[in-house]
Amino acid sequence: MNVLTTFLNALPGNISQGLIWGIMAIGVYITYKILDFPDLTVDGSIGTGGAVAVVLILNGVPVWLALVAAFAAGCLAGLITGLLNTLLGIPGILAGILTQIALYSVNLAILGGSNKSISVDKFPLLLSSRRVAVSGGFVTFGWEVGKCLLIVALLIALLYWFFGTEYGFTIRATGCNSNMSRAQGINTKKSTVIALVLSNGLVGLSGGLLAQYQGFADVNMGRGAIVIGLAAVIIGEVLGSAILGKRLNFVGRLSFTAVGAIIYFIVLQIVMLTGLPSTYNKLFSAVVVAVFLAVPYIRKSVKTSYGRAAKSSAKKGESRNA
């Protein structure tokens, strides 16, 4: 009974965190699934967004403007990765790592130290875990989660519109087949840079929201973010395919990516309730990603095996009848 109570008490935080990290996961979805670009910048750009937002709010800047700045900071990080890849010819995964490493020093400089705190008691923060914890009521819980849902829904609507534009189609074409896209006159380098800018802008925005929610920004807050993002993308894809099948459209994929992040944090909470030390959280994250990455391959292998067995049985039946 105590375990169940602990789980239910932690549920509001898990859902809220899942939605905030879901924004980051949607950014990962753009590079990983749409552009087919292995971008590791997110481990640094989420911290940059958080650092920028917290420092600006502490200096009296309105929260909404601080979030815009966090988005812009993430966009700048993505631009650097894109230019390293397209102008200097550095492979995508190495370009992301270089930017991520550089951002650690940048985040330290922005914060003026390893971390900075921000209190909902002193500033009108958009989101705060303390607000839910203090009231402990369903009204406050619903209001915080409702704001997260509204932000995620608005972002999905904007992305749906953007990827229906000419620029959006060029990004999708570049990710689908870059060689054919170039043959059709598409500037694939420009498309790659735009996608990276947009992706990391969303990651930076997620960092700004996360810093408000947890009450501080830290230079290490983005460590392992790519693993959480991939976990959310893969969980959402597997779950969406299982529920909707071929009816799973673009909006559905983005929505299930956010749902995947929620499920990730809920499962993580369940594992922690079993008594597993928190030092194993990253190991658990890697295992979850590996399992869900293997699911599509296993399903395909099983279908292929059954298909071969069915064909073999059919051939044997035909030979006997003959």
Side-chain angles (χ1 to χ4, degrees):
M1 191 65 180
N2 290 332
V3 174
L4 180 60
T5 302
T6 303
F7 173 77
L8 292 176
N9 289 335
L11 192 59
N14 292 329
I15 296 175
S16 299
Q17 280 192 82
L19 288 169
I20 294 170
W21 282 93
I23 297 172
M24 184 275 298
I26 290 174
V28 172
Y29 180 89
I30 292 173
T31 52
Y32 178 64
K33 284 294 183 179
I34 297 178
L35 187 63
D36 194 23
F37 188 102
D39 183 29
L40 298 181
T41 312
V42 296
D43 277 22
S45 57
I46 189 171
T48 303
V52 168
V54 166
V55 169
L56 288 178
I57 293 172
L58 286 173
N59 284 278
V61 176
V63 172
W64 67 270
L65 190 56
L67 289 175
V68 172
F71 177 83
C75 288
L76 184 58
L79 176 63
I80 294 171
T81 299
L83 294 178
L84 288 175
N85 174 248
T86 58
L87 293 185
L88 301 182
I90 299 175
I93 191 167
L94 292 179
I97 291 173
L98 288 173
T99 306
Q100 175 199 135
I101 293 172
L103 286 176
Y104 185 86
S105 296
V106 172
N107 295 344
L108 275 173
I110 293 172
L111 290 171
S114 60
N115 59 72
K116 271 196 186 318
S117 300
I118 188 168
S119 174
V120 69
D121 297 325
K122 297 180 180 180
F123 301 95
L125 303 182
L126 182 62
L127 300 170
S128 175
S129 61
R130 187 173 179 277
R131 204 148 42 202
V132 176
V134 170
S135 91
F138 285 102
V139 174
T140 306
F141 158 59
W143 179 236
E144 293 296 308
V145 173
K147 286 187 288 187
C148 292
L149 280 171
L150 182 61
I151 294 170
V152 171
L154 180 60
L155 289 175
I156 290 175
L158 289 173
L159 289 173
Y160 178 75
W161 166 80
F162 173 76
F163 280 100
T165 63
E166 182 179 350
Y167 281 121
F169 276 116
T170 59
I171 293 172
R172 293 162 69 178
T174 300
C176 184
N177 191 323
S178 59
N179 292 328
M180 182 61 71
S181 298
R182 279 192 294 270
Q184 295 296 322
I186 295 175
N187 189 335
T188 56
K189 290 185 177 180
K190 182 179 180 181
S191 299
T192 299
V193 172
I194 292 174
L196 287 168
V197 167
L198 176 61
S199 169
N200 283 281
L202 291 174
V203 174
L205 175 62
S206 174
L209 292 169
L210 180 63
Q212 290 183 58
Y213 182 79
Q214 64 188 13
F216 66 91
D218 187 273
V219 291
N220 292 315
M221 65 184 287
R223 182 170 294 178
I226 186 63
V227 177
I228 298 175
L230 286 175
V233 170
I234 301 304
I235 292 172
E237 185 177 44
V238 171
L239 186 63
S241 299
I243 295 175
L244 297 179
K246 295 182 178 179
R247 293 176 297 171
L248 185 63
N249 57 16
F250 182 68
V251 173
R253 292 181 187 279
L254 295 181
S255 301
F256 272 104
T257 296
V259 172
I262 295 173
I263 293 175
Y264 170 85
F265 279 98
I266 290 176
V267 174
L268 182 62
Q269 180 64 33
I270 293 173
V271 172
M272 292 177 65
L273 288 175
T274 62
L276 188 70
S278 59
T279 50
Y280 291 102
N281 286 353
K282 299 299 181 184
L283 174 62
F284 166 73
S285 300
V287 171
V288 168
V289 173
V291 169
F292 278 92
L293 278 172
V295 168
Y297 175 78
I298 294 172
R299 289 174 61 185
K300 185 178 179 180
S301 299
V302 171
K303 288 181 180 179
T304 303
S305 300
Y306 277 118
R308 289 175 180 174
K311 287 182 180 179
S312 178
S313 300
K315 288 181 180 179
K316 288 180 181 180
E318 288 176 0
S319 62
R320 289 175 181 174
N321 293 332

